[in-house]
């Protein structure tokens, strides 16, 4: 069955068939339907098993995958990934029973030959882990005081007994199977016997060997080993040297499992915090830890789903109230981002104004700019109470809150103007404030050598200030004699 490929090479009968089918596919424009028919042809009669695998080769292809990827005239010149996609395409004539049967048989045969899609394997692995995960939080598991009468010679009763023990002890079942069969440090040494009634020739195995036998990862085996180690400390479980293959011992309740087991990709410190958080929230420990192990999936859910984003926002704020470092980080992020900084300023001003309206409504009085406590009228209090409902509306915009805030201030101004004594006190307070500020400003320059540095403009400004002061003194002179010393503007 060997073939020599030269300028005018002769192909084997099987190669001629593959080559002709391939040419037929190309003449049809390389369409998926033609490729499906090609696959059906080479699979149904086993053509691919008869084609030599290369130049001057007599041996056929070792696998169908190699046949698919080999270049013509030896193979189909396609990729396995594309074949998987094409298998999902429906042939336009599958309504005809004969063609549908041919396509179904071809798809089943090809899938068996090329193996499962890695993504499907991962999905099945995840489902299997979920199925054989910690059952401690299964809501359908109940602690029944009644022990059924099971006949362990009956295969149904044996399965029932094992599943019942899983329901009661959860992950401790797997931990026991690891603890009694695995020896860390000196694999293969005969197990210690402590009056267990077993023969001394039984050997424990290394963690890696046990992992190989059960199809687990070595690290997963060690997680169950460490869980039993913690159980020795917390629940007085038998030590490893008291266990040997086949030994059964009493196990703690399933609810205690999460206190000792550290899931993969989560450090013991993190696991302890996650377990505590799950218990506090009344959630499944498994669900909480799975979320913590998948930050990428968590981020994608937050970005794509509104309810998930809201839950994340609420959780972040709750944690920030107790975590000073997180608060600082959030504040720094907001302060350095122009968009956040602007929005924060707007919302901060909105919150302050809303608090002001609530405070005035609660107290029924306000403090004037002069510091006077002012009781509001009944009508003003009623209107302020109505404005509280406005600012408390979750949909209230900053503009709406600003209008309510300005209206409350206007009510205070109206209350001041309605009482002459209060109004006079406000005027005095305002004037005192202005004069005090002016006096401080003058005092700050009084020791300056003005005579040496003054120019015409400065002399004019000081003279104008003196005129203003003299005018104020004139206003007060009918009530009180002036004791102010007038300075000649020319003598500055």
């Amino acid at each position: 069955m060997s073939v020599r490929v030269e300028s005018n090479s002769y192909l084997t009968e099987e190669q001629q068939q593959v080559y002709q089918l391939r040419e037929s596919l190309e003449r049809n424009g390389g369409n998926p339907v033609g490729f499906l028919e090609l696959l059906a042809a080479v699979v149904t009669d086993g053509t691919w098993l008869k084609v030599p695998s290369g130049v001057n080769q007599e041996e056929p292809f070792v696998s169908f995958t190699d046949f698919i990827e080999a270049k013509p005239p030896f193979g189909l010149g396609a990729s396995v990934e594309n074949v998987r996609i094409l298998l999902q395409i429906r042939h336009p004539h599958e309504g005809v029973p004969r063609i549908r049967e041919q396509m179904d048989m071809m798809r089943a045969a090809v899938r068996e030959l090329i193996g499962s899609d890695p993504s499907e394997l991962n999905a099945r692995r995840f489902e299997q882990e979920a199925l054989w995960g910690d059952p401690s939080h299964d809501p359908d598991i109940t602690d029944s005081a009644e022990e059924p009468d099971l006949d362990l010679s009956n295969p149904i009763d044996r399965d029932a007994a094992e599943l019942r023990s899983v329901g009661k002890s959860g992950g401790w079942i797997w931990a026991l199977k690891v603890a009694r069969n695995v020896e860390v440090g000196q694999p293969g040494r005969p197990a210690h016997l402590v009056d267990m009634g077993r023969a001394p020739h039984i050997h424990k195995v290394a963690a890696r060997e046990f992992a190989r036998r059960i199809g687990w990862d070595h690290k997963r085996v060690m997680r169950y080993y460490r869980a039993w180690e913690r159980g020795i400390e917390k629940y007085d479980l038998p030590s490893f040297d008291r266990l040997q293959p086949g030994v059964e011992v009493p196990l703690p309740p399933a609810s205690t499992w999460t206190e000792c087991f550290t899931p993969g990709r989560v450090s013991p410190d993190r696991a302890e915090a996650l377990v505590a958080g799950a218990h506090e929230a009344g959630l499944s420990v498994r669900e909480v830890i799975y979320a913590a192990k998948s930050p990428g999936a968590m981020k994608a859910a937050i970005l794509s789903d509104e309810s998930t984003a809201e839950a994340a926002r609420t959780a972040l704020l709750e944690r920030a109230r107790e975590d000073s470092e997180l608060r600082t980080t959030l504040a720094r992020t907001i302060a350095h981002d122009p968009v956040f900084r602007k929005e924060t300023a707007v919302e901060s001003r909105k919150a302050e104004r809303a608090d002001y309206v609530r405070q005035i409504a609660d107290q029924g009085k306000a403090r004037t700019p002069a510091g006077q406590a002012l009781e509001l009228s009944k009508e003003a209090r009623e209107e302020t109470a109505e404005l509280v409902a406005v600012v408390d509306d979750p949909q209230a915009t900053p503009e709406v809150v600003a209008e309510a805030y300005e209206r409350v201030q206007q009510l205070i101004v109206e209350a001041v103007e309605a009482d002459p004594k209060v109004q006079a006190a406000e005027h005095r307070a305002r004037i005192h404030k202005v004069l005090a500020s002016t006096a401080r400003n003058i005092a700050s320059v009084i020791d300056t050598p003005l005579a040496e540095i003054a120019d015409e403009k400065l002399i004019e400004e000081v003279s104008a200030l003196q005129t203003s002061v003299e005018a104020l003194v004139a206003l007060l002179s009918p009530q009180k004699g002036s004791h102010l010393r007038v300075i000649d503007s020319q003598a500055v």
Side-chain angles (χ1 to χ4, degrees):
M1 195 166 55
S2 63
V3 61
R4 300 179 184 275
V5 178
E6 300 172 352
S7 58
N8 295 312
S9 62
Y10 291 93
L11 305 180
T12 65
E13 181 180 348
E14 292 78 13
Q15 279 182 294
Q16 287 284 357
Q17 183 182 4
V18 172
Y19 193 74
Q20 289 171 4
L21 289 171
R22 179 69 187 181
E23 280 192 329
S24 175
L25 172 61
E26 293 177 349
R27 284 198 302 271
N28 291 335
N31 64 77
V33 173
F35 199 84
L36 291 174
E37 294 173 350
L38 170 61
L39 278 177
V42 299
V43 170
T44 302
D45 59 6
T47 299
W48 73 276
L49 291 171
K50 306 171 185 176
V51 177
S53 57
V55 179
N56 297 327
Q57 296 289 331
E58 295 185 359
E59 296 298 325
F61 287 97
V62 176
S63 70
F64 190 67
T65 298
D66 294 339
F67 171 72
I68 290 175
E69 295 178 341
K71 295 181 179 180
F74 303 102
L76 303 182
S79 69
V80 175
E81 291 74 15
N82 288 340
V83 169
R84 294 187 197 279
I85 296 173
L86 289 169
L87 290 178
Q88 302 175 28
I89 299 175
R90 182 179 175 84
H91 193 286
H93 302 304
E94 284 195 46
V96 179
R98 178 183 60 80
I99 295 181
R100 182 173 64 250
E101 181 180 359
Q102 181 189 28
M103 291 295 107
D104 289 344
M105 292 177 60
M106 178 273 296
R107 290 188 182 98
V110 172
R111 286 192 174 107
E112 183 176 354
L113 290 169
I114 65 177
S116 301
D117 187 344
S119 62
E120 294 178 359
L121 288 176
N122 290 334
R124 281 200 292 271
R125 185 178 297 113
F126 173 78
E127 292 172 359
Q128 186 180 31
E129 288 180 357
L131 177 63
W132 293 105
D134 175 19
S136 306
H137 300 278
D138 189 339
D140 295 328
I141 291 178
T142 58
D143 294 328
S144 175
E146 179 184 357
E147 290 290 341
D149 184 16
L150 300 177
D151 180 9
L152 297 185
S153 64
N154 183 318
I156 297 178
D157 280 0
R158 283 200 303 272
D159 284 349
E162 183 170 352
L163 290 175
R164 180 178 177 82
S165 65
V166 170
K168 292 173 60 178
S169 300
W172 289 116
I173 294 291
W174 289 281
L176 172 61
K177 294 181 185 297
V178 170
R180 71 189 182 190
N181 294 303
V182 169
E183 185 165 18
V184 176
Q186 294 181 334
R189 183 169 56 86
H192 291 283
L193 300 181
V194 185
D195 194 23
M196 294 295 183
R198 299 282 181 178
H201 67 275
I202 300 176
H203 293 253
K204 291 186 178 182
V205 297
R208 292 187 182 276
E209 170 60 18
F210 195 63
R212 184 190 67 80
R213 297 188 187 188
I214 61 178
W216 282 10
D217 179 80
H218 163 257
K219 293 181 180 178
R220 186 181 183 189
V221 170
M222 290 306 300
R223 288 197 293 272
Y224 281 85
Y225 187 92
R226 300 305 179 198
W228 188 271
E229 197 171 49
R230 296 186 188 98
I232 295 174
E233 301 175 1
K234 287 193 172 186
Y235 300 106
D236 198 26
L237 292 175
S239 59
F240 294 106
D241 60 355
R242 296 181 56 202
L243 296 174
Q244 67 178 59
V247 168
E248 297 290 346
V249 297
L251 298 174
S255 58
T256 63
W257 171 245
T258 55
E259 299 176 18
C260 298
F261 182 68
T262 300
R265 290 187 292 169
V266 176
S267 65
D269 293 340
R270 287 186 66 202
E272 185 176 349
L274 291 169
V275 168
H279 289 164
E280 183 177 350
L283 299 173
S284 165
V285 174
R286 181 178 178 81
E287 292 177 354
V288 173
I289 290 180
Y290 179 76
K293 290 194 302 182
S294 308
M298 187 189 308
K299 179 179 179 180
I302 292 172
L303 293 175
S304 59
D305 180 64
E306 184 175 349
S307 60
T308 305
E310 177 61 22
R313 183 192 68 83
T314 303
L316 189 62
L317 291 178
E318 288 181 4
R319 173 157 184 164
R321 291 187 180 95
E322 301 178 359
D323 190 335
S324 60
E325 292 185 6
L326 178 58
R327 285 199 304 273
T328 301
T329 301
L330 291 175
R332 186 181 298 115
T333 300
I334 292 172
H336 287 79
D337 189 299
V339 176
F340 285 161
R341 187 165 60 241
K342 179 180 178 181
E343 293 294 333
T344 300
V346 172
E347 291 298 324
S348 178
R349 187 161 50 250
K350 172 187 171 183
E352 291 174 356
R353 289 174 171 177
D355 287 341
Y356 179 80
V357 174
R358 295 190 199 95
Q359 180 181 353
I360 299 301
D362 291 341
Q363 298 178 356
K365 57 184 179 181
R367 189 166 294 279
T368 65
Q372 299 182 90
L374 180 65
E375 291 286 342
L376 297 180
S377 65
K378 179 181 178 181
E379 293 77 10
R381 290 197 300 271
E382 291 176 351
E383 185 173 352
T384 305
E386 293 175 358
L387 293 174
V388 170
V390 173
V391 299
D392 282 343
D393 184 355
Q395 304 300 323
T397 64
E399 293 75 17
V400 170
V401 173
E403 291 177 2
Y405 170 79
E406 292 169 359
R407 178 53 187 158
V408 170
Q409 288 193 316
Q410 182 60 33
L411 290 174
I412 296 173
V413 170
E414 292 175 0
V416 169
E417 293 176 349
D419 189 330
K421 292 183 179 179
V422 174
Q423 187 175 22
E426 287 299 304
H427 287 325
R428 282 195 299 274
R430 183 176 63 82
I431 293 172
H432 277 302
K433 184 176 181 180
V434 172
L435 292 177
S437 176
T438 303
R440 285 194 299 271
N441 291 334
I442 292 176
S444 66
V445 299
I446 198 67
D447 295 331
T448 304
L450 295 179
E452 299 176 5
I453 64 174
D455 56 10
E456 291 298 325
K457 183 177 180 181
L458 183 58
I459 292 173
E460 290 176 1
E461 290 176 349
V462 172
S463 298
L465 178 60
Q466 180 182 11
T467 301
S468 297
V469 172
E470 290 173 349
L472 291 176
V473 172
L475 291 175
L476 297 175
S477 58
Q479 299 180 9
K480 186 176 183 179
S482 174
H483 299 288
L484 299 178
R485 181 171 60 90
V486 179
I487 302 176
D488 185 0
S489 59
Q490 302 299 322
V492 175

